[in-house]
């Protein structure tokens, strides 16, 4: 578990408190469609209010690459945050640095909240530019990072700034790291990881790290095809990275050396095209027709995975087992997710999941609420599972 200061270690009453949050939320037609990332920061905001801090929230939105892009303004988040706080006043600043922002901060009463405009409107943010970090530092007395989901970025607001002011982790940052280390740091064993998704190439580091840590590795989604094919199984017109065959074989060999049991589909659902309610059939993995593609794991595979999970104490989940957005190719993901949720409720299994499409798949399966922990992070969750050092976490550790 990481060692860093927390809100409890700082004197915050009346102090200008710069809080890095991740409000990179989905917005459609000016409306927030999923406010989880806002809701999950509320414990920090409430604690800061209780301590009488002047709360200055800093965040990014989208990838404007140093330009002022009006569609990527954080202004629509003001209402969403205010609603989440039960109608509390949230002031907005049209910039994230400068004299005007400073005046707005000085005008805050203790416990009041100011949200700054998108940090990425300035190129200095992503460049982790020292003078931009200085400009941010001028606005505050202390710094809190509550953006675990942006901690894989070494940007001015996640790295440089943490080195200029007294720095601590917010409640969400603490919670994320506690749960992730419970899942992979000191897990109750047997420990299983379920890794799905389209491509092996994007999850290579993840798979390589996991085979040395977990007892069971379930591989699903398109990337399973690459593993099957690397073992000489014909996968028809399925998504398959033929150039990754050697890599896939190396991972399987390493898994064997590490005593990690790898589970690949034994049966699969195939169709001619990926579309809603096309004709499908379920076949043994060894008999995929030439003109068909694998779009989901079969029900026998799902049952095998569930049986294995019953013997496990911890599950880390990243990526769906099939093309869950298109019915009926959500079936394997749904049944395994629901079984994992049931085992969680009966306290037989600790379940931790993260990653954008993973959470969407669990919500779709109606299983998310019964998981032990769902991370707010996408890319950062993946990099954490890969065993990488997250710059945003490292900066807090260095400051401790
Ligand atoms: C995310 O949504 O994963 C984080 O906010 C990071 O965003 P980024 O990938 O644009 O850095
Ligand atoms: Mg991302």
């Amino acid at each position: 578990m990481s060692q860093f200061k927390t809100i409890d270690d700082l004197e915050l009453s009346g102090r200008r408190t710069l809080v890095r949050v991740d409000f990179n939320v989905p917005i459609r037609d000016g409306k927030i469609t999923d406010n989880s990332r806002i809701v999950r920061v509320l414990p920090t905001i409430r604690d800061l209010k209780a301590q009488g801090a002047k709360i200055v929230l800093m965040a990014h939105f989208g990838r404007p690459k140093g330009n002022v892009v009006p569609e990527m303004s954080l202004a629509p988040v003001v209402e969403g945050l205010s609603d989440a706080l039960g109608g509390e006043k949230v002031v907005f600043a049209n910039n994230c640095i400068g004299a005007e922002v400073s005046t707005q901060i000085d005008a805050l009463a203790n416990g009041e909240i100011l949200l700054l405009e998108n940090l990425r409107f300035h190129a200095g943010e992503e460049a982790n530019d020292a003078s931009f970090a200085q400009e941010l530092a001028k606005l505050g007395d202390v710094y809190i990072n509550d953006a675990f989901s942006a901690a894989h970025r070494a940007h001015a607001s996640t790295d440089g700034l943490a080195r200029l002011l007294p720095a601590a982790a917010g409640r969400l940052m603490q919670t994320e790291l506690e749960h992730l280390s419970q899942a992979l740091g000191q897990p109750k064993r047997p420990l299983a990881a379920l890794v799905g998704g389209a491509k092996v190439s994007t999850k290579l580091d993840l798979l390589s790290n996991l085979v040395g840590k977990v007892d069971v590795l379930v591989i699903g989604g398109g990337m399973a095809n690459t593993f099957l094919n690397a073992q000489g199984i014909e996968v028809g017109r399925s998504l398959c990275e033929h150039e990754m065959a050697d890599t896939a074989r190396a991972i399987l060999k390493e898994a064997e050396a590490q005593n990690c049991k790898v589970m690949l589909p034994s049966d699969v659902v195939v169709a001619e095209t990926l579309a809603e309610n096309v004709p499908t059939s379920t076949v043994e993995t060894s008999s995929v027709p030439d003109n068909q593609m694998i779009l989901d794991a079969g029900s026998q595979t799902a049952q095998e995975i569930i049986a294995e999970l019953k013997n496990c104490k911890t599950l880390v989940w990243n990526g769906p087992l099939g093309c869950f957005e298109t019915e009926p190719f959500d079936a394997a993901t749904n049944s395994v997710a629901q079984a994992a949720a049931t085992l969680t409720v009966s306290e037989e299994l600790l379940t931790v999941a993260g990653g954008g499409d993973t959470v969407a798949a669990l919500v779709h399966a109606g299983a998310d609420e019964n998981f032990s922990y769902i991370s707010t992070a996408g890319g950062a969750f993946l990099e954490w599972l890969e065993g990488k050092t997250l710059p945003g976490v490292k900066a807090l550790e260095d400051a401790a």
Side-chain angles (χ1 to χ4, degrees), residues 52-366:
K54 293 177 195 283
I55 305 165
V56 181
L57 304 177
M58 308 177 298
H60 74 278
F61 185 73
R63 293 175 177 170
K65 301 196 180 308
N67 303 303
V68 176
V69 180
E71 300 74 52
M72 295 186 193
S73 170
L74 276 166
V77 171
V78 170
E79 194 187 335
L81 175 59
S82 171
D83 287 351
L85 283 161
E88 191 139 337
K89 179 171 106 181
V90 175
V91 187
F92 187 66
N94 288 315
N95 203 339
C96 61
I97 51 170
E100 248 177 74
V101 179
S102 193
T103 307
Q104 280 180 287
I105 294 172
D106 290 339
L108 290 177
N110 291 359
E112 277 189 343
I113 304 167
L114 177 75
L115 171 64
L116 305 184
E117 182 56 288
N118 195 343
L119 292 158
R120 292 186 183 173
F121 283 179
H122 294 266
E125 163 64 356
E126 293 193 67
N128 197 6
D129 176 70
S131 57
F132 180 70
Q134 285 287 356
E135 288 297 311
L136 291 174
K138 276 190 213 163
L139 301 173
D141 302 307
V142 295
Y143 166 80
I144 288 168
N145 189 348
D146 212 23
F148 173 75
S149 48
H152 57 319
R153 308 295 181 208
H155 294 172
S157 66
T158 58
D159 178 65
L161 183 56
R163 302 173 190 282
L164 298 173
L165 294 175
R171 300 300 184 209
L172 177 58
M173 176 70 85
Q174 273 182 276
T175 304
E176 293 268 13
L177 289 167
E178 270 160 27
H179 283 90
L180 296 192
S181 70
Q182 212 179 22
L184 211 56
Q186 303 90 36
K188 282 197 186 148
R189 290 182 184 272
L191 163 65
L194 191 159
V195 180
K199 291 184 169 178
V200 176
S201 50
T202 58
K203 295 205 175 166
L204 252 188
D205 291 345
L206 175 63
L207 295 168
S208 307
N209 186 44
L210 289 178
V211 291
K213 294 226 158 91
V214 307
D215 305 297
V216 179
L217 177 62
V218 180
I219 300 177
M223 71 168 86
N225 307 340
T226 301
F227 278 90
L228 293 168
N229 191 246
Q231 294 176 300
I233 293 169
E234 294 302 332
V235 294
R237 288 172 47 244
S238 307
L239 180 71
C240 177
E241 294 172 282
H242 296 279
E243 70 285 3
M244 298 298 292
D246 284 343
T247 308
R249 281 189 290 267
I251 290 172
L252 293 174
K253 202 167 160 217
E254 179 61 19
E256 205 180 332
Q258 302 265 7
N259 250 328
C260 167
K261 174 177 178 177
V262 175
M263 295 184 76
L264 286 162
S266 62
D267 67 337
V268 287
V269 180
V270 297
E272 262 182 55
T273 49
L274 173 58
E276 295 267 321
N277 301 314
V278 290
T280 67
S281 49
T282 302
V283 297
E284 291 295 310
T285 306
S286 53
S287 11
V288 175
D290 288 349
N291 64 340
Q292 308 249 318
M293 52 180 119
I294 300 172
L295 295 168
D296 195 12
S299 56
Q300 172 185 300
T301 300
Q303 289 314 314
E304 287 164 5
I305 297 170
I306 292 167
E308 192 66 42
L309 292 182
K310 287 184 178 160
N311 294 324
C312 290
K313 295 251 175 1
T314 308
L315 169 68
V316 178
W317 187 322
N318 178 263
L321 286 171
C323 300
F324 77 96
E325 285 119 329
T326 310
E327 281 178 37
F329 308 111
D330 55 345
T333 303
N334 287 349
S335 61
V336 175
Q338 285 155 9
T342 303
L343 289 167
T344 309
V345 173
S346 57
E347 296 182 10
E348 291 162 78
L349 190 66
L350 181 102
T351 43
V352 175
D357 56 349
T358 309
V359 179
L362 297 180
V363 170
H364 176 81

